[in-house]
Amino acid sequence: GLLRIDHVGIAVADLDAALKFYAEIFEIHSVHEETNEDQGVREAMLAVGDGTGPRLQLLAPLRPDSAIAKFLDRSGPGLQQLAYTVADVEAAAAVLRSRGLRLLYDTARRGTAGSRINFVHPKDAGGVLVELVQPV
Ligand code: CMX
């Protein structure tokens, strides 16, 4: 099942500008940054408070055909996804498929820091893009 909220993802046009905004205004700082070519993103994970709770993920597009670029074109910057931690992404995906939801990938792909991820289509989850994250 779902263990906890892993992170909330926010689409931004300019990662460096967003990092500056979060640091200066909310005093929330990046603890990890990477480029994920497979997902077409440059991303940062920000720790809130003592850093033990869910993180904030800022997602900027690498390419105009990427999921984040399409999201920005359609909706503008803002909340893009809600991610849950799971112990076994394939098992969690299989349960949700058996309950009639469309998972975006047949098998999990690579997410942040080598995690394994899959997504529920937002149209099958009340308008929320749900990500499943199996940490390394
Ligand atoms: N949240 C809620 N609704 C969304 C959405 C989102 N993030 N993205 C698209 N939608 C809605 C659209 O508004 C549209 O609704 P209408 O038909 O009512 O206009 C509908 O979903 C479109 O669905 P679609 O045509 O099937 O798909 P899109 O081409 O818009 O792509 C999605 C949507 C979810 C399949 C695509 O964004 C995707 O593959 N996402 C998964 C990968 C991803 O998000 N990667 C970036 C993050 C990487 C990471 O977390 O590490």
Side-chain angles (χ1 to χ4, degrees):
L2 308 179
L3 300 177
R4 68 189 82 89
I5 292 176
D6 189 275
H7 63 268
V8 174
I10 295 174
V12 303
D14 180 333
L15 187 63
D16 294 321
L19 285 170
K20 189 168 180 297
F21 175 82
Y22 276 90
E24 288 179 356
I25 303 298
F26 295 120
E27 299 177 39
I28 299 174
H29 300 278
S30 171
V31 291
H32 176 84
E33 285 166 44
E34 71 178 78
T35 295
N36 184 333
E37 289 287 346
D38 182 42
Q39 289 293 331
V41 295
R42 215 185 129 213
E43 62 160 283
M45 284 291 187
L46 284 64
V48 183
D50 66 7
T52 59
R55 289 183 170 174
L56 202 64
Q57 179 186 41
L58 301 180
L59 295 156
L62 280 182
R63 305 183 284 270
D65 65 337
S66 61
I68 295 300
K70 279 196 198 167
F71 182 88
L72 288 169
D73 286 346
R74 187 191 273 127
S75 310
L79 286 176
Q80 188 258 350
Q81 56 164 274
L82 176 61
Y84 295 99
T85 311
V86 296
D88 180 337
V89 67
E90 300 298 2
V95 167
L96 297 178
R97 268 189 215 103
S98 78
R99 293 176 185 167
L101 304 191
R102 281 169 293 167
L103 276 288
L104 294 186
Y105 311 140
D106 290 339
T107 54
R109 292 196 189 164
R110 187 192 166 283
T112 309
S115 60
R116 301 185 65 231
I117 61 172
N118 206 335
F119 295 86
V120 177
H121 196 285
K123 289 293 169 191
D124 291 354
V128 179
L129 175 60
V130 171
E131 181 177 2
L132 305 173
V133 183
Q134 178 184 334
V136 182

